[in-house]
Amino acid sequence: EVQVVQSGAEVKKPGESLKISCQSSGYSFSTSWIGWVRQLPGQGLEWMGIIHLRDSLTYYRPSFQGQVTISADRSISTAYLHWDSLQASDTAIYFCATAMDGNFYWDYWGQGTLLTVSS
Amino acid sequence: QSALTQPASVSGSPGQSITIFCTGTNSDVGRYDFVSWLQQHPGKAPKLIIYDVTYRPSGVSHRFSGSKSGNTASLIISGLQAEDEADYYCCSYTRSGPTYVFGTGTTVTVL
């Protein structure tokens, strides 16, 4: 059974750094992509970027380039989303999802990580 | 990368059929047969219900079907049921990036 499990909810202050995680099991992680999606409060889904687990090839949506860093550790089947300096506007739910090589759809989703940034 | 355009809301009575349209451009929906649809219930993660325009993942009800014409993809929900109340998002591969783009989302209400 495939499972995609994300790290728990976070409450941070503006200016702090943060790295959240997304771990997959029961899946051919090394031949798959991981994508990160943002959902602002009461809003729709937005792609942030995607990373390939074999070689860490990464693509960012232009509006997120330089704002976050996506990375991965293939040895533990885990992808990460990192902020150097959080802002209140980063308050959102962040989802990760997986897509196998050669597929162009995201079939397994994590449960979401709620991030609250407030002073 | 602009979001794909969907109606904000669609409603129908139990048993009826509804269609949700998703309009893109010739850089995404019109260029590739890589349109998928996701269902999201309140407070839950999105769930894949249609991929590659017309295919249903295992376990997804046959009441969900998809199609595409030109730059517009469609999700049809037939035999509408109360459990179908949710937000629905289309998603397409796009040559811009290369990456993906979501639709603006549609809230389905069962009257």
Side-chain angles (χ1 to χ4, degrees):
Chain A
E1 180 191 3
V2 176
Q3 285 193 317
V4 180
V5 179
Q6 298 183 229
S7 50
E10 300 274 1
V11 179
K12 307 293 279 187
K13 296 187 185 315
E16 292 186 329
S17 64
L18 175 68
K19 180 185 280 189
I20 63 174
S21 66
C22 168
Q23 184 171 38
S24 174
S25 61
Y27 201 74
S28 184
F29 211 61
S30 63
T31 57
S32 64
W33 294 84
I34 295 289
W36 285 99
V37 174
R38 183 177 76 174
Q39 188 165 39
L40 295 169
Q43 302 299 308
L45 306 174
E46 300 174 86
W47 278 109
M48 302 176 70
I50 61 176
I51 186 168
H52 196 280
L53 274 301
R54 182 180 61 244
D55 54 12
S56 291
L57 178 64
T58 307
Y59 297 103
Y60 293 92
R61 184 178 177 183
S63 56
F64 290 98
Q65 181 84 47
Q67 306 305 308
V68 296
T69 302
I70 295 171
S71 61
D73 185 337
R74 187 174 67 178
S75 67
I76 55 172
S77 301
T78 299
Y80 302 96
L81 182 62
H82 176 258
W83 292 263
D84 280 329
S85 180
L86 288 162
Q87 303 175 43
S89 56
D90 293 318
T91 295
I93 300 174
Y94 294 86
F95 293 100
C96 66
T98 65
M100 285 290 289
D101 259 349
N103 290 344
F104 294 85
Y105 53 88
W106 301 84
D107 44 0
Y108 295 100
W109 289 72
Q111 82 277 20
T113 296
L114 173 62
L115 169 61
T116 303
V117 183
S118 173
S119 55
Chain B
Q1 284 179 342
S2 297
L4 308 176
T5 301
Q6 297 180 232
S9 63
V10 174
S11 61
S13 300
Q16 284 188 328
S17 293
I18 61 170
T19 301
I20 302 171
F21 295 101
C22 167
T23 302
T25 69
N26 54 17
S27 292
D28 38 65
V29 175
R31 187 177 186 92
Y32 304 102
D33 286 336
F34 298 138
V35 177
S36 56
W37 289 89
L38 299 136
Q39 176 192 60
Q40 187 182 32
H41 286 106
K44 301 295 186 182
K47 174 188 174 184
L48 181 70
I49 58 172
I50 294 288
Y51 67 94
D52 294 352
V53 179
T54 63
Y55 295 90
R56 276 189 309 275
S58 175
V60 172
S61 172
H62 65 277
R63 298 184 298 102
F64 295 97
S65 61
S67 64
K68 191 187 87 166
S69 177
N71 294 340
T72 299
S74 304
L75 173 71
I76 303 97
I77 309 176
S78 58
L80 201 60
Q81 299 180 1
E83 67 205 49
D84 299 332
E85 276 207 349
D87 291 329
Y88 292 82
Y89 296 90
C90 59
C91 178
S92 175
Y93 183 76
T94 172
R95 65 180 301 194
S96 302
T99 183
Y100 295 80
V101 59
F102 283 114
T104 49
T106 299
T107 298
V108 168
T109 302
V110 181
L111 302 172

